[in-house]
Amino acid sequence: VGFPTGECALRSGDSLLGNVSSPMGIPHWGVLKGGGHRFGLRLLWDRSKPDAIQVPRRRPRRGAAAAAAAAKAAVAASRAMHGRVKKDVVELPAEELEKQREQVRTARALFGKLLDLRQARTYSQQTFDMTSKALQFHPEFPTIWGYRREILTSGVLAETAEPKGLFEAEMKLLEKALRRTQKVYSIWFHRKWTVERLFELCGSDVAAAKKVLDVELELCGRLLEVDERNFHCWNHRAHAMGLMLRLISRSGSDGPAADVVGEEKIGGPPAPAAEAAPAAAAEAAPA
C-alpha cells in the first residue's frame, strides 16, 4: 500500500528518465529528478511488482466533434439540474433596461449612504425607513439586515410603536423578501431572530406563542412542497420545533403545543394549518 522510501530508477524502455522518490511515503505521488529538473508525477504502485513504478499516460485529446458534444451535454445538464429546469432568459427592450439601470444607480447611492450611517452608529426612524426601502429593492444584503437589527434593539423606535408591533411588521417585510427568493442566508437568519423576539414577547401567553410558531411551520410546509431541497427551510423548521418544545416545558405536557409536537413524529398526520399563513410560499410556487 505504500511507495518505497528510497529512490528508484524510472525507465522508458532502455532509456533512463531519472530517479523517482516518494516523499514521506505519500501514496500516488512521486518526484522525478533527472537532467537537472524536478517534476511532480502521479504514480501507480503495483504491490505484486515492488520494483516497477508506472506513470499513467495522459488521456488523448478529444476531437472538435467530441468537445462540442460534451459542451452541449454540459449546457443541457445545467439547464435541468436535479430535475429543475431553468427558465429561459428573456431579453428586455432598451427602455426597460434603461429603467433598471436607473434603479440600480439609485439603489447603489442608497446602500452607500446606509453603510456610512451604520458606521457612524446612526439609529433613528428615518434610517429604519431607509433600510426598509433598500431591502424591498434588494433583500440579499446581509449588512443592511444587520443594521436593521441594531436599530430595532437600540430602543429609538420604542416611542413610536410597541415592540410586538414592530416585530410583527418585520415579519411582513420578511414575507415580501421570501416572495422574491427563498434561499438566502441573511433573510432566514433575520426571520429566525425575529421569531425568537416575538416568542419572548409572548411571555406566558401560550396561545399567542403557539400562533407565532404555527405560522412558521405552515410557511415551511408550503415552501418544502415547492422545493424539498431547501435546507434553509428545513433548518428554520427545526428551530421552530425547538421553540415548540420550550413552549411545552413552559405550559405543561398536556397543552395545545404538545399536540403539535406529537403530530410532527414520523408517520403522524401533518401539522394543522395556521389561521393566517403567509402568502410567500404560494407565490414562490412555479407557474
Side-chain angles (χ1 to χ4, degrees):
V1 294
F3 283 82
T5 56
E7 294 187 351
C8 57
L10 178 66
R11 298 178 179 274
S12 177
D14 296 333
S15 302
L16 177 63
L17 301 179
N19 295 325
V20 176
S21 62
S22 180
M24 299 178 291
I26 300 175
H28 306 300
W29 179 252
V31 177
L32 171 64
K33 294 182 292 185
H37 301 284
R38 292 169 59 90
F39 303 94
L41 297 176
R42 183 179 179 276
L43 308 175
L44 297 180
W45 175 251
D46 189 350
R47 296 176 59 185
S48 63
K49 301 177 181 179
D51 296 331
I53 296 180
Q54 302 176 3
V55 180
R57 294 183 178 182
R58 291 186 176 181
R59 295 174 59 186
R61 292 188 176 182
R62 293 179 296 184
K72 185 176 181 180
V75 171
S78 65
R79 291 177 58 84
M81 186 63 67
H82 300 289
R84 309 286 177 170
V85 181
K86 292 185 178 181
K87 297 180 180 179
D88 294 332
V89 179
V90 179
E91 295 186 2
L92 300 175
E95 298 81 4
E96 187 65 25
L97 289 175
E98 182 58 32
K99 182 180 178 181
Q100 289 187 359
R101 293 191 188 100
E102 182 62 29
Q103 291 176 347
V104 170
R105 286 191 287 266
T106 304
R108 288 186 62 182
L110 177 59
F111 288 141
K113 187 174 182 179
L114 283 172
L115 292 177
D116 293 338
L117 290 171
R118 184 184 186 232
Q119 189 173 8
R121 302 191 179 212
T122 303
Y123 306 140
S124 64
Q125 181 67 50
Q126 182 181 3
T127 56
F128 189 72
D129 296 338
M130 291 171 64
T131 59
S132 300
K133 184 178 180 181
L135 290 170
Q136 287 179 12
F137 176 79
H138 183 59
E140 303 179 30
F141 205 141
T143 306
I144 305 301
W145 286 112
Y147 186 26
R148 194 171 179 87
R149 287 191 294 273
E150 293 174 7
I151 299 175
L152 283 168
T153 55
S154 65
V156 298
L157 305 178
E159 301 178 356
T160 58
E162 293 292 331
K164 190 174 182 180
L166 286 172
F167 290 113
E168 288 175 348
E170 202 69 7
M171 295 293 283
K172 295 180 180 179
L173 177 64
L174 285 161
E175 289 174 15
K176 294 180 181 179
L178 286 173
R179 290 191 188 108
R180 298 186 58 178
T181 176
Q182 300 85 42
K183 298 182 180 180
V184 177
Y185 284 95
S186 54
I187 297 176
W188 284 105
F189 180 83
H190 192 76
R191 188 172 184 92
K192 173 185 174 183
W193 180 84
T194 306
V195 169
E196 289 175 347
R197 303 289 87 76
L198 280 173
F199 183 80
E200 293 171 358
L201 288 172
C202 290
S204 59
D205 191 346
V206 177
K210 181 179 178 298
K211 183 177 180 181
V212 171
L213 300 178
D214 282 344
V215 170
E216 299 308 295
L217 294 175
E218 174 69 12
L219 172 64
C220 292
R222 290 181 178 273
L223 288 177
L224 290 173
E225 288 178 359
V226 176
D227 186 0
E228 70 280 0
R229 304 167 302 148
N230 190 342
F231 64 88
H232 303 278
C233 194
W234 283 113
N235 291 339
H236 189 74
R237 183 181 179 87
H239 181 69
M241 290 306 301
L243 293 178
M244 191 71 78
L245 290 174
R246 286 174 52 186
L247 189 62
I248 292 175
S249 63
R250 180 190 304 173
S251 61
S253 60
D254 54 349
D259 298 334
V260 175
V261 175
E263 291 173 352
E264 286 295 317
K265 294 181 180 179
I266 297 177
E275 296 180 4
E283 297 194 12

